[in-house]
Amino acid sequence: GWKTEDIRSSIFHPRSSTFNAMWLIVGLGNPGLKYEWTRHNCGFMVVDDLARRARKEIKAPECQALTARSTIGGEQALLVKPS
């Protein structure tokens, strides 16, 4: 099983960890055309841009959100847009 010191080490030194770390990037916004290009959708726009740059489409419905898995700057990432 996991030892407490392994977990502490992975939190403070993720590069030396045996855990597979992944960034969770959540873009908050409001659905609908009314908010599409407003400050209320800044988070959605950031996640959409990250997905575009990674050539990913955010379309997988998971946990009441649209998601895409990607690699950004050599790091694994899960892009999330809550619905």
Side-chain angles (χ1 to χ4, degrees):
W2 299 106
K3 297 178 183 173
T4 303
E5 57 270 11
D6 291 338
I7 295 171
R8 277 195 205 111
S9 174
S10 70
I11 292 169
F12 296 108
H13 305 286
R15 298 271 185 248
S16 63
S17 170
T18 58
F19 293 104
N20 291 326
M22 176 185 280
W23 287 94
L24 176 63
I25 302 171
V26 180
L28 301 180
N30 293 321
L33 294 175
K34 178 180 177 182
Y35 299 103
E36 190 170 12
W37 292 105
T38 69
R39 62 185 171 90
H40 301 284
N41 262 9
C42 184
F44 278 6
M45 289 186 268
V46 168
V47 169
D48 285 339
D49 189 58
L50 288 170
R52 181 189 57 77
R53 291 175 187 213
R55 295 186 175 96
K56 296 288 182 176
E57 187 175 350
I58 299 178
K59 63 179 185 177
E62 295 183 46
C63 302
Q64 298 181 1
L66 297 176
T67 66
R69 296 175 193 280
S70 183
T71 302
I72 299 174
E75 301 283 340
Q76 293 296 311
L78 178 63
L79 305 176
V80 181
K81 289 171 50 177
S83 51

mmCIF file of all heavy atoms in Angstrom, residues 32-42 45 48:
data_model
loop_
_atom_site.group_PDB
_atom_site.id
_atom_site.type_symbol
_atom_site.label_atom_id
_atom_site.label_comp_id
_atom_site.label_asym_id
_atom_site.label_seq_id
_atom_site.Cartn_x
_atom_site.Cartn_y
_atom_site.Cartn_z
ATOM 1 N N GLY A 32 -24.532 29.395 -23.442
ATOM 2 C CA GLY A 32 -25.478 30.168 -24.235
ATOM 3 C C GLY A 32 -24.829 31.305 -25.005
ATOM 4 O O GLY A 32 -23.770 31.813 -24.649
ATOM 5 N N LEU A 33 -25.489 31.678 -26.095
ATOM 6 C CA LEU A 33 -24.972 32.728 -26.971
ATOM 7 C C LEU A 33 -24.917 34.086 -26.291
ATOM 8 O O LEU A 33 -24.072 34.918 -26.628
ATOM 9 C CB LEU A 33 -25.839 32.821 -28.231
ATOM 10 C CG LEU A 33 -25.784 31.603 -29.160
ATOM 11 C CD1 LEU A 33 -26.768 31.770 -30.302
ATOM 12 C CD2 LEU A 33 -24.371 31.403 -29.676
ATOM 13 N N LYS A 34 -25.794 34.332 -25.328
ATOM 14 C CA LYS A 34 -25.839 35.622 -24.637
ATOM 15 C C LYS A 34 -24.483 35.982 -24.016
ATOM 16 O O LYS A 34 -24.098 37.139 -23.959
ATOM 17 C CB LYS A 34 -26.922 35.579 -23.561
ATOM 18 C CG LYS A 34 -27.038 36.839 -22.732
ATOM 19 C CD LYS A 34 -28.143 36.710 -21.700
ATOM 20 C CE LYS A 34 -28.209 37.943 -20.816
ATOM 21 N NZ LYS A 34 -29.249 37.817 -19.787
ATOM 22 N N TYR A 35 -23.752 34.965 -23.544
ATOM 23 C CA TYR A 35 -22.487 35.193 -22.840
ATOM 24 C C TYR A 35 -21.254 34.802 -23.652
ATOM 25 O O TYR A 35 -20.135 34.939 -23.178
ATOM 26 C CB TYR A 35 -22.466 34.405 -21.529
ATOM 27 C CG TYR A 35 -23.567 34.798 -20.584
ATOM 28 C CD1 TYR A 35 -24.698 34.009 -20.432
ATOM 29 C CD2 TYR A 35 -23.478 35.971 -19.852
ATOM 30 C CE1 TYR A 35 -25.712 34.380 -19.559
ATOM 31 C CE2 TYR A 35 -24.487 36.352 -18.982
ATOM 32 C CZ TYR A 35 -25.599 35.549 -18.844
ATOM 33 O OH TYR A 35 -26.590 35.920 -17.987
ATOM 34 N N GLU A 36 -21.461 34.335 -24.876
ATOM 35 C CA GLU A 36 -20.383 33.713 -25.647
ATOM 36 C C GLU A 36 -19.085 34.521 -25.688
ATOM 37 O O GLU A 36 -18.015 33.983 -25.454
ATOM 38 C CB GLU A 36 -20.848 33.413 -27.075
ATOM 39 C CG GLU A 36 -19.858 32.569 -27.826
ATOM 40 C CD GLU A 36 -20.405 32.074 -29.152
ATOM 41 O OE1 GLU A 36 -21.459 32.566 -29.609
ATOM 42 O OE2 GLU A 36 -19.769 31.193 -29.728
ATOM 43 N N TRP A 37 -19.092 35.797 -25.984
ATOM 44 C CA TRP A 37 -17.859 36.591 -26.080
ATOM 45 C C TRP A 37 -17.798 37.669 -25.007
ATOM 46 O O TRP A 37 -17.304 38.770 -25.242
ATOM 47 C CB TRP A 37 -17.726 37.209 -27.472
ATOM 48 C CG TRP A 37 -17.499 36.157 -28.492
ATOM 49 C CD1 TRP A 37 -18.425 35.687 -29.396
ATOM 50 C CD2 TRP A 37 -16.320 35.399 -28.712
ATOM 51 N NE1 TRP A 37 -17.872 34.682 -30.154
ATOM 52 C CE2 TRP A 37 -16.578 34.489 -29.756
ATOM 53 C CE3 TRP A 37 -15.064 35.398 -28.119
ATOM 54 C CZ2 TRP A 37 -15.622 33.598 -30.223
ATOM 55 C CZ3 TRP A 37 -14.117 34.496 -28.588
ATOM 56 C CH2 TRP A 37 -14.401 33.614 -29.624
ATOM 57 N N THR A 38 -18.267 37.351 -23.800
ATOM 58 C CA THR A 38 -18.241 38.320 -22.706
ATOM 59 C C THR A 38 -17.232 37.890 -21.648
ATOM 60 O O THR A 38 -16.726 36.767 -21.665
ATOM 61 C CB THR A 38 -19.628 38.441 -22.049
ATOM 62 O OG1 THR A 38 -19.923 37.224 -21.359
ATOM 63 C CG2 THR A 38 -20.714 38.739 -23.078
ATOM 64 N N ARG A 39 -16.986 38.788 -20.715
ATOM 65 C CA ARG A 39 -16.064 38.478 -19.606
ATOM 66 C C ARG A 39 -16.575 37.313 -18.769
ATOM 67 O O ARG A 39 -15.797 36.652 -18.095
ATOM 68 C CB ARG A 39 -15.855 39.705 -18.736
ATOM 69 C CG ARG A 39 -17.117 40.201 -18.064
ATOM 70 C CD ARG A 39 -16.856 41.515 -17.314
ATOM 71 N NE ARG A 39 -18.086 42.113 -16.848
ATOM 72 C CZ ARG A 39 -18.637 41.858 -15.653
ATOM 73 N NH1 ARG A 39 -18.045 41.040 -14.820
ATOM 74 N NH2 ARG A 39 -19.759 42.444 -15.310
ATOM 75 N N HIS A 40 -17.868 37.041 -18.858
ATOM 76 C CA HIS A 40 -18.449 35.932 -18.095
ATOM 77 C C HIS A 40 -17.977 34.581 -18.625
ATOM 78 O O HIS A 40 -18.158 33.564 -17.963
ATOM 79 C CB HIS A 40 -19.978 35.996 -18.138
ATOM 80 C CG HIS A 40 -20.535 37.265 -17.595
ATOM 81 N ND1 HIS A 40 -20.590 37.522 -16.252
ATOM 82 C CD2 HIS A 40 -21.024 38.357 -18.224
ATOM 83 C CE1 HIS A 40 -21.107 38.723 -16.065
ATOM 84 N NE2 HIS A 40 -21.375 39.256 -17.249
ATOM 85 N N ASN A 41 -17.409 34.565 -19.800
ATOM 86 C CA ASN A 41 -16.946 33.313 -20.408
ATOM 87 C C ASN A 41 -15.437 33.267 -20.585
ATOM 88 O O ASN A 41 -14.923 32.456 -21.343
ATOM 89 C CB ASN A 41 -17.614 33.103 -21.761
ATOM 90 C CG ASN A 41 -18.782 32.178 -21.649
ATOM 91 O OD1 ASN A 41 -19.191 31.819 -20.553
ATOM 92 N ND2 ASN A 41 -19.328 31.782 -22.768
ATOM 93 N N CYS A 42 -14.719 34.095 -19.888
ATOM 94 C CA CYS A 42 -13.259 34.134 -20.011
ATOM 95 C C CYS A 42 -12.644 32.750 -19.767
ATOM 96 O O CYS A 42 -11.752 32.322 -20.485
ATOM 97 C CB CYS A 42 -12.689 35.164 -19.046
ATOM 98 S SG CYS A 42 -10.920 35.372 -19.180
ATOM 99 N N MET A 45 -13.135 30.482 -22.698
ATOM 100 C CA MET A 45 -12.288 30.899 -23.819
ATOM 101 C C MET A 45 -10.840 30.452 -23.626
ATOM 102 O O MET A 45 -10.184 30.030 -24.584
ATOM 103 C CB MET A 45 -12.373 32.410 -24.014
ATOM 104 C CG MET A 45 -13.722 32.860 -24.565
ATOM 105 S SD MET A 45 -13.758 34.627 -24.966
ATOM 106 C CE MET A 45 -14.357 35.308 -23.422
ATOM 107 N N ASP A 48 -10.777 26.713 -24.279
ATOM 108 C CA ASP A 48 -10.930 26.492 -25.721
ATOM 109 C C ASP A 48 -9.623 26.779 -26.458
ATOM 110 O O ASP A 48 -9.237 26.039 -27.369
ATOM 111 C CB ASP A 48 -12.042 27.373 -26.291
ATOM 112 C CG ASP A 48 -13.428 26.877 -25.932
ATOM 113 O OD1 ASP A 48 -13.582 25.686 -25.597
ATOM 114 O OD2 ASP A 48 -14.367 27.701 -25.990
#
